[in-house]
Amino acid sequence: MIICLDVGNTNIKFAVYDGDLLKLSFRIATNVKKTSDEYGGQLLSIFTNNALNREEIKGGIISSVVPQLDYTLERMCQTYLNIKPLSLAPGFKTGLNMKVDNAREVGADRVVNNVSAVKKYGFPLIVIDFGTATTFNVINEKSEFIGGVIAPGIKGSLDSLVNGTAKLPRVEIERPSAVIGKNTVTNMQSGIFFGFAGLVEFIVKKIKREMKCENIKVVATGGFSEIIADEISCIDKVDKLLTLDGLKYLYDLNNVEAE
């Protein structure tokens, strides 16, 4: 079995694969102040609750956009799983053709999502990740990553709205029954939900026009992908495991290369 870690600004997503079978997936809040022992204790507790034997983990891979945690999580894997995980870094074999100004600027999560989406769905593609930021990644008809869009994340936008005003409450992010809200809560939910649905629809429309390709497939992943996809028609597929499946694929690809 192998373990995959997708380290984001808000959460760390874990997945354990036995061959191609996903045995377990879970997430832990990202906290740069936690030690490797604290993360290790949480990991082993979850393993125990799911009847997983840590000694069966024979390898691992980490994708991170939080450099402060790189050493912490690598040490956790070495101490608690007795493995030295692969880490996505410049020079890591991905098979993705990067046709952007500076490939080193592209976040590891975007790279993994693109590789995974191309493998699973072909190309051309628009890959949308509803994470801490909302990212749009564009893969052309030659299977080249040619760039994209980075917009604010849904939760971060709500946090900014609440923190920047004295009287607005924190609300659940969900679809209200109507666009016109009758109270403060539904007013805010309408602005966040329909605002982001409109943002996604408009950006996808503009990308398709710029690409001169109306049939380009749109794949979405991330925490809010399902509720947004239910509202708009431009998202063809929601794949919540896109990143973790991509990490499993990259582990296999680079492990074979190393042997």
Side-chain angles (χ1 to χ4, degrees):
M1 292 193 291
I2 71 161
I3 188 167
C4 302
L5 285 73
D6 173 32
V7 186
N9 290 293
T10 304
N11 292 301
I12 304 172
K13 290 180 285 187
F14 294 76
V16 176
Y17 289 88
D18 186 357
D20 291 329
L21 176 65
L22 177 65
K23 296 282 289 185
L24 176 67
S25 65
F26 57 94
R27 62 181 59 203
I28 293 173
T30 302
N31 185 343
V32 296
K33 295 182 179 180
K34 280 185 181 178
T35 66
S36 59
D37 292 325
E38 289 174 307
Y39 277 116
Q42 281 186 285
L43 179 68
L44 293 190
S45 177
I46 293 170
F47 271 29
T48 299
N49 291 339
N50 288 274
L52 279 180
N53 183 354
R54 63 175 168 174
E55 294 181 0
E56 294 184 50
I57 304 296
K58 303 302 182 183
I61 184 169
I62 299 174
S63 165
S64 174
V65 296
V66 187
Q68 305 96 306
L69 282 177
D70 290 354
Y71 174 77
T72 299
L73 294 173
E74 287 176 11
R75 182 171 175 79
M76 178 203 74
C77 289
Q78 292 170 348
T79 303
Y80 290 88
L81 300 176
N82 198 30
I83 62 170
K84 184 177 181 180
L86 302 177
S87 295
L88 264 72
F92 193 86
K93 182 179 177 62
T94 65
L96 182 67
N97 294 316
M98 307 279 280
K99 298 297 183 180
V100 295
D101 291 341
N102 186 352
R104 291 176 178 269
E105 290 180 350
V106 181
D109 53 342
R110 299 180 75 184
V111 173
V112 175
N113 283 340
N114 291 339
V115 169
S116 184
V118 168
K119 181 177 183 292
K120 296 174 80 171
Y121 303 107
F123 49 88
L125 279 174
I126 300 171
V127 184
I128 309 172
D129 186 358
F130 293 92
T132 305
T134 304
T135 58
F136 298 73
N137 307 302
V138 183
I139 311 294
N140 68 12
E141 69 282 354
K142 298 178 183 178
S143 188
E144 298 169 333
F145 172 52
I146 61 171
V149 177
I150 299 177
I154 295 179
K155 186 177 182 299
S157 294
L158 177 60
D159 290 342
S160 178
L161 182 64
V162 172
N163 295 335
T165 54
K167 297 183 70 175
L168 292 182
R170 189 165 299 278
V171 301
E172 292 294 325
I173 299 173
E174 58 185 35
R175 187 193 191 283
S177 59
V179 175
I180 303 172
K182 298 296 186 182
N183 53 57
T184 300
V185 169
T186 54
N187 271 248
M188 293 173 65
Q189 288 175 330
S190 182
I192 291 293
F193 179 83
F194 292 115
F196 269 88
L199 177 147
V200 170
E201 206 160 31
F202 184 77
I203 290 178
V204 167
K205 180 180 178 180
K206 294 283 284 185
I207 290 173
K208 287 183 175 182
R209 185 177 300 167
E210 196 167 303
M211 293 283 290
K212 298 179 181 178
C213 180
E214 288 299 318
N215 295 323
I216 187 169
K217 190 165 191 175
V218 180
V219 178
T221 191
F224 296 102
S225 54
E226 288 177 319
I227 64 169
I228 297 296
D230 285 342
E231 181 63 26
I232 56 180
S233 60
C234 65
I235 294 176
D236 300 303
K237 176 70 176 180
V238 172
D239 187 341
K240 300 296 283 291
L241 290 173
L242 188 70
T243 310
L244 294 170
D245 284 346
L247 282 173
K248 167 63 170 60
Y249 168 72
L250 288 175
Y251 175 86
D252 291 340
L253 181 68
N254 283 269
N255 204 41
V256 168
E257 290 290 321
E259 290 177 352

